[in-house]
């Protein structure tokens, strides 16, 4: 039964879920929860990433991976666009997790293009 549950599920979806949780808890763990802009950015993007990961685990759709890729890029550039790059803890958390989300999403898109029937 466990194999049936995991059939068609990709490691990338689970990795994105773990990254979403890490992003969501990062303001408390890394210590920038009192900084409004980076904390809310982490919480909101973490929730959206988590929702997309759960949706992809339920029923894969290529657009979910593209949305994750966009969110990963957003995380990378958000410290400068939202002007919290001076907070090194928040900036590096966003950049590193954003790069990981973008890389995992690009991997998922590449994998989908190579094996489209594995996601059905």
């Amino acid at each position: 039964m466990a194999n049936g549950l995991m059939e068609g599920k990709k490691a990338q979806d689970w990795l994105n879920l773990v990254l979403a949780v890490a992003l969501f808890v990062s303001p408390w763990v890394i210590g920038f929860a009192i900084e409004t802009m980076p904390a809310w950015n982490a919480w909101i993007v973490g929730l959206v990433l988590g929702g997309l990961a759960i949706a992809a685990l339920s029923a894969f759709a290529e657009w979910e991976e593209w949305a994750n890729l966009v969110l990963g890029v957003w995380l990378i550039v958000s410290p400068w666009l939202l002007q919290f790059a001076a907070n090194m803890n928040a900036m590096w958390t966003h950049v590193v997790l954003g790069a990981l989300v973008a890389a995992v999403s690009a991997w998922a898109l590449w994998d989908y293009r190579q094996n489209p029937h594995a996601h059905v």
Side-chain angles (χ1 to χ4, degrees):
M1 180 159 157
N3 283 343
L5 182 63
M6 289 302 295
E7 193 172 320
K9 308 302 184 231
K10 292 294 182 184
Q12 298 96 325
D13 301 325
W14 288 105
L15 284 172
N16 271 334
L17 185 58
V18 169
L19 291 171
V21 170
L23 180 62
F24 188 82
V25 300
S26 68
W28 296 291
V29 174
I30 306 297
F32 59 90
I34 61 170
E35 299 287 333
T36 306
M37 193 62 69
W40 277 102
N41 191 52
W43 293 328
I44 292 168
V45 175
L47 285 174
V48 173
L49 280 172
L52 287 169
I54 290 169
L57 285 166
S58 300
F60 179 84
E62 187 178 1
W63 71 266
E64 294 159 344
E65 302 304 335
W66 282 106
N68 282 338
L69 183 62
V70 168
L71 287 172
V73 171
W74 166 254
L75 286 171
I76 294 169
V77 300
S78 66
W80 293 274
L81 294 177
L82 298 178
Q83 299 178 348
F84 63 85
N87 182 330
M88 296 304 272
N89 289 338
M91 186 268 294
W92 280 112
T93 299
H94 281 74
V95 168
V96 169
L97 289 176
L100 290 171
V101 167
V104 168
S105 299
W107 173 30
L109 287 166
W110 176 84
D111 188 41
Y112 174 72
R113 299 291 170 119
Q114 298 300 312
N115 305 304
H117 300 295
H119 297 273
V120 181

